[in-house]
Amino acid sequence: MPRANAKNENRSGDGISERRMRTKEMLLQANVLRSRYIDAESVCLRCWFRLSARTNPTARRRFSTSPLRNEAIAVKAPLIQREYFSANRIRSAAKAQSRQEIPEQSTGHGRAQAVSQVASHGPSLCPSTSLPSSPASPHFPTSLPLPELPHRRRKRLKAEAASTLGQEPIIPPDASSRLTSLSTTLPRASIRRLLTTCLSLSKPRLSFMIVLTTAASYSLYPVPALLLPTTTTSPSLSTLTLIFLAAGTSLCCASANTLNMLLEPEHDAKMSRTRNRPIVRGLIGKKGALVFASMAGAIGIGSLWFGVNPTVAFLGGLNIALYAGVYTPMKRISVLNTWVGALVGGIPPLMGWAAAAGQSATGNGEWSELLFSEASVGGWLLAGILYAWQFPHFNALSWSIMDEYKNAGYRMLVWTNPRMNGRVALRYALALFPLCAGLWWWQITDQGFLVTSSIVNVWIVREAWRFWRREGQRGSARGLFWASVWHLPVIMVLAMLHKKGLWEEIWRWFVGEGSDEEDMLIPFDSEEEVLDEVCDSGFAE
């Protein structure tokens, strides 16, 4: 009997399994198996029912549906679908993934684990069945990561910023570093690579700022009444002189900057701010850099000598000597190198002022008349503005790389005495108020400059106070740095816009009124009488 019962049970079990297999074949036809590529023996009957209901809509269809109605609905689909919008795509992808994810369950037979996804658009398999999933199989793809929602991205960025609070970001690469990177992509024997490398040696952004201050000082020089355009046949300040001044100043800057890089390539390689310079990268040798510096310095000083005057040429040569011969080696000796560097930055406004004064000099045009006369006060005030501005600018810039300065062996105030570094920046930021007010007091600018410059000076003083109070922490160094970057060009442009008598002349020209000085400054009827008067005064002397 037991053997008969066992045989009956085996026969009944075989019959049940055969009926299940037939049911599966009836429910899932050949197209379903072909589209899914699923082994029929690894899936239970319940999942075959679910799979057939979702993949074959005709297997279980309501009475109200029909192929014709479905075609009509497909024809009337809107032109703009919801999937065109990013938010809807993200939501749809999230819903699709939520359908594919099934929590782990365990069955009474001891088989636990959820099955992997069958296809990107298919249903989930039963939790009691596990299918082999191969990463190389195209029929069992892994789920792709969802795109990050905008509000979650903003939240993540805020959290990252809060976690790095108090840490200053690395200084972005300057124009010289970018030009060096560009040179490495050019052919070795090309002229373009050589020119790009030479331009990188000259530090173009710094040179442009120096030329800007020189040209601003040249334009701010008060033209004497006898040399106004209304009394002369030529402009009072020559445009050709300005061209020689700008070209000579830029070449002198290129020479000084190249010599600076030439004298310390091994130390520049230790700092992230300077390790991408041309000599450090090997784009040009030391001999080639020396030839470029010598040619730029000679042509620049020659242009200032013959195109402007000897006094300006002497100041250009002095600037090269101070920057390359004193400031560069002094950086490894004493913290006073910052004061020497500020002195170098204050010379270009004196060059522009002396260039303009040389065209209206009443004497021989010697250096004492151009630099130390009563009319030269404006040039010294502009030089003082440049001198004072460099302390908040450089002290804030050096704060974020103080460790690199220390490791490279540069004696900078930012790491030798951090507290004093903030005090010096604040002290010279406050000095900008009387210097700008002096331009108005000496009739270089009008009263409007006193107001507009004070607004800009309040901004930099506020940032310098925060820099000193917080000792460079919590973004105060970065705030002072960018305030100083914008402060200098804004002050120079405001000074040129508020030049004394500029808007009065523009108003007279616009209204059509003649200048009051025109009748007073032409006491002669012809040029011959002017020459006679000059000759008589010369013989009388």
Side-chain angles (χ1 to χ4, degrees):
M1 292 296 293
R3 293 181 179 178
N5 292 336
K7 289 181 180 180
N8 293 333
E9 289 178 2
N10 293 335
R11 291 176 181 175
S12 61
D14 296 339
I16 292 172
S17 60
E18 291 178 1
R19 286 196 298 271
R20 286 182 178 178
M21 291 299 297
R22 284 197 223 96
T23 306
K24 292 178 184 179
E25 293 177 359
M26 292 171 59
L27 291 175
L28 290 178
Q29 299 173 358
N31 59 345
V32 176
L33 292 176
R34 260 188 253 108
S35 61
R36 292 295 177 179
Y37 295 97
I38 300 175
D39 187 8
E41 296 180 357
S42 61
V43 184
C44 66
L45 184 60
R46 182 176 60 181
C47 290
W48 280 116
F49 274 108
R50 292 168 55 190
L51 185 61
S52 62
R54 294 186 182 182
T55 56
N56 192 6
T58 60
R60 184 172 58 186
R61 186 178 64 186
R62 297 184 179 87
F63 292 102
S64 60
T65 61
S66 64
L68 295 177
R69 184 170 179 267
N70 293 338
E71 293 177 0
I73 293 174
V75 171
K76 295 181 181 180
L79 295 177
I80 300 178
Q81 300 291 339
R82 294 177 59 189
E83 289 77 5
Y84 293 164
F85 301 96
S86 60
N88 292 334
R89 290 199 302 269
I90 295 173
R91 185 180 179 187
S92 301
K95 286 184 176 180
Q97 185 175 10
S98 64
R99 295 194 203 100
Q100 295 174 1
E101 293 177 353
I102 296 180
E104 295 184 358
Q105 299 179 3
S106 60
T107 62
H109 299 284
R111 291 177 297 177
Q113 297 294 338
V115 295
S116 60
Q117 300 172 358
V118 177
S120 60
H121 58 279
S124 300
L125 298 180
C126 66
S128 61
T129 309
S130 61
L131 292 177
S133 176
S134 174
S137 176
H139 309 296
F140 295 90
T142 58
S143 58
L144 297 177
L146 291 176
E148 189 177 15
L149 295 174
H151 69 283
R152 294 188 181 276
R153 181 173 64 253
R154 290 193 296 268
K155 185 177 180 180
R156 177 178 55 80
L157 293 176
K158 288 182 180 179
E160 292 177 357
S163 63
T164 58
L165 187 63
Q167 300 179 2
E168 287 293 314
I170 302 299
I171 297 177
D174 55 6
S176 180
S177 178
R178 293 177 181 176
L179 287 170
T180 302
S181 301
L182 177 61
S183 299
T184 57
T185 62
L186 300 175
R188 290 183 176 273
S190 63
I191 300 297
R192 186 182 176 187
R193 175 167 179 166
L194 179 61
L195 295 177
T196 306
T197 303
C198 294
L199 187 61
S200 177
L201 288 171
S202 64
K203 298 181 183 178
R205 189 177 298 174
L206 177 62
S207 300
F208 173 77
M209 293 292 293
I210 293 175
V211 172
L212 174 64
T213 58
T214 307
S217 178
Y218 180 84
S219 64
L220 284 173
Y221 184 83
V223 180
L226 289 174
L227 294 178
L228 288 174
T230 55
T231 61
T232 58
T233 58
S234 61
S236 55
L237 295 180
S238 172
T239 305
L240 185 61
T241 303
L242 178 60
I243 293 174
F244 275 105
L245 175 65
T249 304
S250 61
L251 289 173
C252 289
C253 292
S255 176
N257 292 326
T258 304
L259 291 174
N260 172 261
M261 296 183 189
L262 183 63
L263 294 175
E264 48 186 14
E266 61 278 2
H267 305 299
D268 288 342
K270 302 176 183 178
M271 300 180 60
S272 61
R273 180 169 170 261
T274 57
R275 65 175 53 139
N276 199 33
R277 287 179 173 177
I279 300 179
V280 179
R281 294 287 302 273
L283 296 178
I284 189 172
K286 291 186 176 182
K287 292 183 179 180
L290 181 60
V291 170
F292 173 72
S294 303
M295 292 180 61
I299 297 174
I301 295 175
S303 300
L304 296 176
W305 182 282
F306 296 103
V308 187
N309 57 61
T311 302
V312 178
F314 170 78
L315 291 176
L318 178 64
N319 226 5
I320 297 175
L322 284 176
Y323 189 75
V326 180
Y327 168 72
T328 299
M330 197 174 182
K331 288 193 296 183
R332 304 182 60 81
I333 299 174
S334 172
V335 295
L336 296 178
N337 65 83
T338 306
W339 279 261
V340 176
L343 182 63
V344 172
I347 291 179
L350 277 179
M351 295 172 61
W353 194 271
Q359 301 182 52
S360 59
T362 57
N364 297 328
E366 297 181 352
W367 61 272
S368 58
E369 180 184 1
L370 300 182
L371 296 178
F372 297 104
S373 64
E374 185 178 356
S376 62
V377 177
W380 287 102
L381 288 173
L382 291 172
I385 292 175
L386 264 294
Y387 180 83
W389 169 85
Q390 291 184 75
F391 288 95
H393 174 73
F394 180 76
N395 289 12
L397 181 146
S398 60
W399 189 90
S400 59
I401 52 176
M402 66 169 73
D403 295 333
E404 297 186 4
Y405 274 123
K406 185 177 181 180
N407 296 332
Y410 292 125
R411 302 283 300 177
M412 296 298 173
L413 196 63
V414 66
W415 68 268
T416 57
N417 194 339
R419 191 65 179 173
M420 185 179 177
N421 185 66
R423 289 199 306 268
V424 169
L426 179 59
R427 184 185 308 156
Y428 283 96
L430 290 170
L432 293 170
F433 280 99
L435 290 171
C436 292
L439 293 177
W440 162 74
W441 180 262
W442 288 93
Q443 301 297 310
I444 307 300
T445 59
D446 55 21
Q447 295 180 355
F449 179 72
L450 187 63
V451 178
T452 55
S453 64
S454 298
I455 297 174
V456 184
N457 290 334
V458 165
W459 177 32
I460 194 172
V461 168
R462 173 181 174 272
E463 296 296 334
W465 182 83
R466 292 175 65 247
F467 177 71
W468 165 72
R469 188 70 178 271
R470 299 178 181 179
E471 297 184 358
Q473 301 290 338
R474 293 187 288 176
S476 58
R478 185 177 181 84
L480 178 59
F481 172 74
W482 286 111
S484 63
V485 167
W486 286 101
H487 177 273
L488 182 61
V490 169
I491 285 292
M492 290 297 154
V493 171
L494 288 176
M496 289 187 288
L497 290 177
H498 290 285
K499 183 180 180 180
K500 185 69 175 180
L502 175 64
W503 294 103
E504 289 81 355
E505 293 295 331
I506 293 176
W507 174 254
R508 291 193 186 100
W509 173 82
F510 182 76
V511 187
E513 298 179 358
S515 176
D516 297 337
E517 300 173 347
E518 184 174 354
D519 298 332
M520 298 165 44
L521 298 174
I522 307 180
F524 307 106
D525 296 333
S526 62
E527 296 181 0
E528 289 76 7
E529 296 184 10
V530 176
L531 295 175
D532 294 340
E533 182 65 21
V534 172
C535 293
D536 293 341
S537 61
F539 288 127
E541 293 178 358

